[in-house]
Amino acid sequence: MSEYTTEVKDLPTIEAVDITNYLVLQTSYYTRQQMKAFKSLEAYNFFVSGWVHNLGTKRLRDGYSLVFARSAVMAKLQGFEFWRKTLKEARYVVAPMVDQSELAWRLLSRRHGAQLCYTPMLHAQVFVRDANYRRENLYNEVCEEDSPLIAQFCANDPEVFLQAALLAQDYCDAIDLNLGCPQMIAKRGHYGVFLQDEWDLLEKMVSLANEKLKVPITCKIRVFKEVEKTVRYAQMLENAGCQLLTVHGRTKDQKGAMTGIASWEHIKAVRQAVNIPVFANGNIQHLSDVERCIQETGVQGVMSAEGNLHNPALFEGRSPPVWEMAEEYLEVVKRYPPCTLSYVRAHLFKLWHHTLQIHQDLREELAKVKTLEGLADVSKQLRLRCQEEIAKGKDSEDKESGLPFPHWICQPYVRPVPKETVTNGNSQASVLKKTVCQKRALEDCESADTLSKNKQKKRSRNPKKNFCPEQKPKYIKCEQCGNPKGNKCVFSLCRGCCKKKAYKEVADCPSHGLRFKTKAEKRKAEEKEQAERSTTEVERSDHIPQPLQDSRRELEEPRLLL
């Protein structure tokens, strides 16, 4: 900072002032002549345009002020320095989750051990064009307690990504590029993990953002099956300007029922190959998993998604009662409105997941309620039922269900083992025998015991609904296409065929609500009435008396000016 201290020499005394973190400037007015206190013209304009909000101005002597100019002239932190100073050496990280890592949930997670949070994934193109989207998803969620924070975007265009990042950089500590989303919507939109083979595009996106942004650029990726290719992928992103890398140890195809086990071997190889901080993601269900992952892979931090959703106190090493977390979350939602009701409902479904498998009636009630108070009431009812079970000593039933704790305790949800598990990135044959999927035999009349869950739900809503194939009404087929015909159709056809025929023949079909003939007759009647009206007017004009005709003619003829 020696080049910034030229103005400082004239100050009488500035003891106890850390001149490496602040600028000393005259406060009477800012002119181009005082540019020497800034690093460049760009930094000067950056300051006076209001990007630095004068967070703390301390008056000194001789008309000088101490101005916090954190971003104006200080060099952008990179790599490990960024992780140590800005992220405060964060080890426990809450993942970016669509519609799930909103402000209220981030604050709840921070209360229980989380040191760094990400926003939900934001769509860069929508963020650029829609001011309401920006306000609802980032600008309105600014909170002192919610720091440090990284905003994540999905994008496939370097310029659009840069524009979105420029709009967001003053509301977060870094910008993250999502290169790990494996969902179908990401495939249709061509973003997330479906960009992992387009290295030239990704290099351009990251390098452009790193060059233009005043905050660091980070990336979240998934691994390839080959460890070597994954390492080259990570090194390419590092060389392009990525300052922190989050590695999800699963491949593009490991999702849903085929999620399997994340490969820490891939993560370890990436960590050893790059010179930037690395976060690990995958296989995190308890605090012990976090510590084990750090020891085995050497990463700087560990990110949790589903584990955090089922137990927000995961990073504290606690498994509290579900109602404790649910009630605290609802209290945060009320304190920091607005929060979309669907987000709150989704979180309650995750927290109460195991309990709702038992109390199905309250599961349906939770899905139906339309207000925050209604959601809180259902959560309260679940708490009361759990406390009744505790009073009756029903812990043994949960042991039989295979859960490590009673269902009212926060605990991870373990997906069923897929047919082929993936361990450390290598596909291995499953020990379980592959079962041949066969269709259920069609019975003459399905009883309540043989109905599928979907049909049982339909029957609970409509007890009179009949699922017996023999008792279902037999529909007569349309003569032309084979679809069921209308019972009262004049042509004995289905609606589609009837419409074509009625239009062609200018006919009506009251059964299908078609009125071609009626409309045609009405149109003809209107035309006839209009013709008669015009004929009558002509006849009236022919019978006008001669004096009136002469006077009208005089009025119509132009007067000659003498």
Side-chain angles (χ1 to χ4, degrees):
M1 285 291 290
S2 59
E3 63 268 32
Y4 306 138
T5 59
T6 53
E7 293 286 331
V8 176
K9 294 178 181 178
D10 299 331
L11 286 174
T13 54
I14 51 170
E15 293 88 354
V17 174
D18 183 5
I19 213 63
T20 62
N21 292 327
Y22 307 114
L23 292 174
V24 179
L25 305 170
Q26 280 187 315
T27 57
S28 57
Y29 59 92
Y30 297 101
T31 63
R32 301 276 178 185
Q33 287 73 21
Q34 293 169 312
M35 278 278 302
K36 56 186 177 180
F38 290 90
K39 188 176 180 180
S40 65
L41 176 62
E42 183 181 359
Y44 172 80
N45 291 332
F46 175 79
F47 177 78
V48 298
S49 63
W51 289 106
V52 178
H53 297 288
N54 205 13
L55 298 175
T57 302
K58 179 181 178 182
R59 289 290 297 176
L60 299 177
R61 282 182 269 180
D62 298 331
Y64 284 84
S65 303
L66 190 63
V67 182
F68 288 68
R70 176 181 58 184
S71 303
V73 295
M74 292 183 65
K76 181 168 61 177
L77 299 180
Q78 298 180 349
F80 283 95
E81 190 179 10
F82 160 66
W83 175 67
R84 284 192 294 268
K85 293 185 178 180
T86 304
L87 303 186
K88 303 171 185 177
E89 298 185 353
R91 296 179 47 167
Y92 304 148
V93 186
V94 175
M97 297 173 284
V98 177
D99 297 344
Q100 296 282 266
S101 57
E102 82 285 359
L103 175 63
W105 189 260
R106 298 197 300 264
L107 294 177
L108 176 70
S109 300
R110 291 181 191 276
R111 289 182 181 184
H112 296 282
Q115 298 168 338
L116 171 65
C117 293
Y118 284 65
T119 67
M121 182 190 73
L122 305 173
H123 199 293
Q125 193 170 24
V126 181
F127 196 85
V128 170
R129 73 167 183 255
D130 193 339
N132 289 332
Y133 184 81
R134 294 196 291 270
R135 283 193 295 269
E136 293 171 2
N137 291 280
L138 185 62
Y139 294 177
N140 289 348
E141 293 194 344
V142 175
C143 177
E144 290 184 12
E145 302 174 36
D146 189 29
S147 178
L149 176 69
I150 296 179
Q152 188 189 68
F153 287 94
C154 68
N156 55 21
D157 182 276
E159 293 297 336
V160 173
F161 176 54
L162 176 61
Q163 291 176 35
L166 288 171
L167 290 169
Q169 66 179 351
D170 293 306
Y171 299 86
C172 58
D173 296 286
I175 299 294
D176 186 77
L177 177 60
N178 184 331
L179 300 175
C181 181
Q183 303 305 323
M184 184 56 65
I185 190 172
K187 185 175 183 179
R188 290 197 297 267
H190 193 55
Y191 57 81
V193 75
F194 299 97
L195 295 176
Q196 69 176 3
D197 292 316
E198 302 183 32
W199 290 17
D200 291 340
L201 173 63
L202 296 181
E203 185 176 11
K204 185 176 180 181
M205 292 175 70
V206 174
S207 61
L208 182 63
N210 181 57
E211 178 185 350
K212 300 294 184 180
L213 296 179
K214 65 182 182 183
V215 296
I217 175 74
T218 69
C219 297
K220 185 175 186 291
I221 66 172
R222 283 196 171 218
V223 300
F224 292 94
K225 289 183 179 180
E226 304 84 4
V227 176
E228 296 78 11
K229 188 174 182 180
T230 304
V231 168
R232 294 199 307 273
Y233 182 39
Q235 290 174 332
M236 179 273 293
L237 293 173
E238 178 190 13
N239 294 334
C242 177
Q243 304 303 322
L244 184 147
L245 193 62
T246 301
V247 183
H248 189 164
R250 293 185 174 92
T251 64
K252 176 171 60 177
D253 299 322
Q254 286 183 270
K255 58 182 178 180
M258 300 301 295
T259 296
I261 306 299
S263 170
W264 287 357
E265 179 184 338
H266 283 67
I267 300 174
K268 180 179 180 180
V270 170
R271 173 66 200 93
Q272 293 174 346
V274 299
N275 297 313
I276 56 176
V278 175
F279 290 161
N281 183 208
N283 304 345
I284 305 301
Q285 297 179 342
H286 304 281
L287 184 60
S288 58
D289 297 329
V290 175
E291 302 300 336
R292 187 164 57 89
C293 181
I294 293 175
Q295 291 177 3
E296 291 186 17
T297 63
V299 294
Q300 279 63 49
V302 173
M303 178 182 286
S304 175
E306 285 200 357
N308 168 262
L309 290 177
H310 288 277
N311 181 12
L314 181 150
F315 292 127
E316 283 185 325
R318 293 194 309 124
S319 294
V322 174
W323 61 80
E324 179 184 322
M325 293 291 98
E327 290 173 359
E328 185 176 357
Y329 171 63
L330 291 170
E331 179 266 324
V332 176
V333 169
K334 293 177 181 177
R335 184 178 175 186
Y336 295 93
C339 184
T340 307
L341 195 68
S342 61
Y343 299 178
V344 183
R345 193 195 314 274
H347 281 302
L348 293 180
F349 265 112
K350 289 284 187 182
L351 290 170
W352 288 108
H353 173 80
H354 299 294
T355 302
L356 291 172
Q357 305 305 310
I358 300 172
H359 301 284
Q360 293 285 340
D361 57 326
L362 291 180
R363 180 184 182 87
E364 293 187 6
E365 187 67 23
L366 186 62
K368 291 178 181 177
V369 291
K370 304 294 184 182
T371 62
L372 184 62
E373 292 73 18
L375 293 173
D377 183 62
V378 175
S379 183
K380 183 179 179 181
Q381 293 181 53
L382 286 165
R383 173 174 63 84
L384 293 175
R385 291 194 185 184
C386 291
Q387 290 175 342
E388 288 178 5
E389 292 182 22
I390 294 173
K392 294 178 181 178
K394 291 188 176 182
D395 294 3
S396 59
E397 296 181 4
D398 293 291
K399 294 179 181 178
E400 295 176 1
S401 66
L403 296 175
F405 304 108
H407 62 80
W408 55 78
I409 297 296
C410 289
Q411 55 194 299
Y413 166 67
V414 181
R415 285 190 176 93
V417 179
K419 295 178 182 178
E420 291 185 5
T421 58
V422 177
T423 306
N424 292 334
N426 299 320
S427 179
Q428 298 179 346
S430 174
V431 179
L432 301 176
K433 294 181 179 180
K434 294 184 179 181
T435 58
V436 180
C437 297
Q438 296 180 349
K439 289 185 178 181
R440 181 167 51 88
L442 182 65
E443 300 179 11
D444 294 338
C445 187
E446 295 182 285
S447 63
D449 298 333
T450 60
L451 290 177
S452 64
K453 289 184 177 181
N454 190 26
K455 289 182 178 180
Q456 289 178 19
K457 289 181 180 180
K458 290 181 178 179
R459 174 163 285 183
S460 65
R461 293 193 292 266
N462 183 10
K464 296 181 180 181
K465 190 171 182 64
N466 180 28
F467 294 100
C468 184
E470 293 184 352
Q471 297 180 10
K472 286 186 176 181
K474 303 296 183 182
Y475 295 103
I476 303 174
K477 293 184 179 180
C478 171
E479 297 176 358
Q480 295 185 6
C481 68
N483 289 327
K485 81 173 189 68
N487 291 331
K488 298 180 181 180
C489 177
V490 296
F491 301 113
S492 296
L493 301 173
C494 67
R495 192 179 193 283
C497 297
C498 176
K499 185 176 182 180
K500 293 177 182 178
K501 188 168 184 178
Y503 177 78
K504 186 176 181 180
E505 299 182 3
V506 192
D508 288 348
C509 180
S511 173
H512 288 126
L514 303 175
R515 300 284 188 273
F516 294 110
K517 183 179 179 180
T518 303
K519 291 179 180 179
E521 291 176 349
K522 184 179 180 181
R523 190 162 50 249
K524 287 182 180 180
E526 290 176 352
E527 292 174 355
K528 184 179 179 181
E529 184 179 353
Q530 187 176 359
E532 290 176 353
R533 192 182 300 114
S534 60
T535 303
T536 304
E537 291 178 357
V538 171
E539 290 176 354
R540 286 179 180 176
S541 63
D542 293 341
H543 290 83
I544 295 176
Q546 187 65 30
L548 292 176
Q549 290 184 5
D550 296 340
S551 62
R552 177 178 292 181
R553 192 177 297 110
E554 290 177 1
L555 291 172
E556 292 175 354
E557 292 178 355
R559 294 183 179 181
L560 297 176
L561 296 176
L562 298 177

